[in-house]
Amino acid sequence: MRYSLSVFISAVVVGVVASPLHSRGQQAPRTNTPAASEKAPVVFVEVPPSESKITWVHDNARSEAHHLPETCGGGGVFFDYDNDGWMDIYLVNSGPSDFFTPNTALKNALYHNNHDGTFTDVTDKAGVGGGNFGMGAAAADYDGDGWVDLYVTGYGRNILYHNNGNGTFTDATDKAGVAAPGWSTSAAWFDYDNDGKLDLFVSSFVQYSGTGTIFCGDNRLGRRYYCVPRVFKPRPSFLFHNDGNGKFTDVSKQSGIANSLGKSFGVVATDINNDGLMDLFVANDTVANFLFVNKGNGKFEDIGLMAGVAYSDSGAPRSGMGVDAADFDGDGWQDLFVANIDQELFSLYQNQRDLSFIDKPGEIGRATRLLSGWGLKFFDYDNDGNPDLILANGHPDDMVEVQSLKVKYKEPLLMFENVNGAFKNVSAVSGAVFSKDFPARGLALGDYDNDGDLDVLIINNGAAPILLRNQGGNRNNWLGLQLVATRSNPAAVGAIITWEAGGVKHRRLKTSGGSFLATHDPREILGIGQATKIDSVEIKWPSGRVDKLTNLPINKYVKVVEGKGE
């Protein structure tokens, strides 16, 4: 079905919702000339805690025993838990486990966005403090009631928080049946069977016990290091089917997901063969990466080896950590990215349209040879319509500098601009923060100030998080979409958005997951560069419905309801 937005603007004024910044009387972003844009690159400005009021600090439970979970956290989320149109922040901390008893109580943190650049800690009121040895989180409205829920992964068991719609959450883990015991890392909400309900994939890391006796280090000096995951046994990941009544069924075995034993970190749900069924790309540490192709009828097949994304070009498994997917070259097919540990090289896999990929990292490979990548994301940082790429890095071993003269524990962030389908390292001109080093892990994206460009949240291991404000991305024009599904899954995962402005057409698949231990702003910002008018936007929903939108504003957020064009 096709609908023109102009029809609904005349009948329903709420069809177009102005950015809250604009509605509060603040000046709209300027539209600069191309020459001005070239002289002023987009930069990311570090927002200090004194300004943001985010005072939470990650505790990695660092010990002389060097337990492996200490080095992997933490994660975070941009999501709007109270439906006020502003992105709030959730941060995941460590906690009690079979190897760690905190001296003082540790909590995850929920920060409410105050609409003025500051945040307020509402963790206790909301009831989302955690209690497990947390890793990351994935936010989505799993029961379709209009309120975004929260799934927190960790070592030991996971937690599902149901959003009550009044600023509080209820632990629904046992009722839903999604505890997923063991050690979980990243998670992704997606609708694998297109029944309109969000299912849940959970990455499982190694078999680990705090009472184990594995010693990794120098016995002569009595010095311990973090063990390489290679010495631990792999585990199957989880796939939970949403039964629609607040409960889930573990379909890991019958779907084929559990047939592949891994040491899984990052995951992204995408559609690599354009068949309308969401697939999964999963990074594994020291074993082959998984590319689970959705075969329909509830079945998945791992084709990572045949597709060329399981191993390095030399046939060796690598230390896969962060992943993402996007059509970076604009050919209509989803490409893949995975970050590894230093010396192993990061991979940019170009889709060959036949269930195979070719690794073409280009400038990214040269810039990351001595780095270890965790959180990462394709996103259009300058609103020109093309997906750029940001990488958060940090070596997993805090004693690596004892053994290496070239590799450091804390490492720099990297920013790559997409220039005609090739990535150019623009870190040097993207802000002073790129000259600093961090023990980075999770990375989440969100427009927390509602100014039309995506900001960045970096969660550091054993340190304070970093909030980066995008300064200049909105010099190019844009349109923000809030997709509201009626027949499709509530997150509209799998929707295909096509927009045209100034004679240039862009296409984007709405993926889920990506990065590492993180969830991102669910809204889609469509960049149109210096064009001053959007000719059309077409949304092909996962249900198969098609909405054609015209007479659209620019530099505002618009709510689009499936089948109504609102």
Side-chain angles (χ1 to χ4, degrees), residues 34-163:
S37 294
E38 292 170 3
K39 292 178 182 178
V42 175
V43 298
F44 289 88
V45 177
E46 192 172 344
V47 182
S50 60
E51 179 180 333
S52 69
K53 309 305 179 184
I54 297 175
T55 58
W56 177 92
V57 177
H58 182 259
D59 187 324
N60 61 1
R62 168 75 166 80
S63 70
E64 292 304 316
H66 280 71
H67 289 286
L68 192 57
E70 298 170 7
T71 193
C72 298
V77 168
F78 273 115
F79 76 133
D80 182 8
Y81 80 93
D82 56 354
N83 285 346
D84 65 352
W86 295 75
M87 288 298 115
D88 309 298
I89 288 175
Y90 188 73
L91 298 160
V92 182
N93 214 341
S94 305
S97 70
D98 61 358
F99 62 84
F100 177 54
T101 302
N103 293 325
T104 58
L106 297 180
K107 292 189 298 184
N108 303 339
L110 175 60
Y111 279 97
H112 176 262
N113 190 325
N114 297 324
H115 310 179
D116 60 2
T118 69
F119 293 81
T120 298
D121 188 337
V122 295
T123 311
D124 292 339
K125 176 183 177 182
V128 290
N132 60 343
F133 193 99
M135 287 282 133
D141 178 11
Y142 75 87
D143 57 352
D145 65 354
W147 299 89
V148 181
D149 311 297
L150 192 61
Y151 186 72
V152 183
T153 63
Y155 169 78
R157 76 190 296 270
N158 303 331
I159 303 171
L160 176 62
Y161 287 115
H162 176 261
N163 191 330

Side-chain angles (χ1 to χ4, degrees), residues 247-399:
K247 298 180 180 180
F248 292 76
T249 298
D250 185 346
V251 294
S252 308
K253 292 182 179 179
Q254 64 201 66
S255 67
I257 293 294
N259 293 339
S260 300
L261 299 181
K263 304 174 183 182
S264 301
F265 271 146
V267 57
V268 62
T270 185
D271 182 2
I272 64 162
N273 54 356
N274 289 341
D275 65 352
L277 299 172
M278 297 301 286
D279 312 302
L280 295 165
F281 181 48
V282 183
N284 281 305
D285 196 338
T286 69
V287 296
N289 297 326
F290 300 145
L291 182 54
F292 290 116
V293 169
N294 191 334
K295 307 295 287 186
N297 298 318
K299 304 294 183 181
F300 287 82
E301 178 186 1
D302 177 20
I303 65 164
L305 180 61
M306 296 178 289
V309 299
Y311 298 106
S312 69
D313 286 344
S314 63
R318 293 184 286 187
S319 300
M321 295 179 287
V323 298
D324 201 21
D327 177 15
F328 79 86
D329 53 3
D331 67 352
W333 296 76
Q334 289 282 291
D335 310 297
L336 305 174
F337 189 91
V338 60
N340 302 294
I341 205 167
D342 64 281
Q343 308 294 348
E344 292 185 349
L345 302 182
F346 297 7
S347 287
L348 177 63
Y349 289 116
Q350 188 175 48
N351 195 325
Q352 300 302 294
R353 314 180 194 185
D354 59 359
L355 295 180
S356 72
F357 294 78
I358 295 179
D359 189 1
K360 293 185 175 181
E363 196 167 322
I364 298 172
R366 293 187 292 273
T368 58
R369 179 175 291 275
L370 297 177
L371 302 180
S372 300
W374 300 85
L376 56 91
K377 202 77 179 75
F378 288 110
F379 74 119
D380 183 8
Y381 85 120
D382 55 359
N383 285 347
D384 67 354
N386 300 313
D388 310 295
L389 179 65
I390 189 168
L391 306 175
N393 310 292
H395 199 278
D397 190 348
D398 61 359
M399 296 183 68

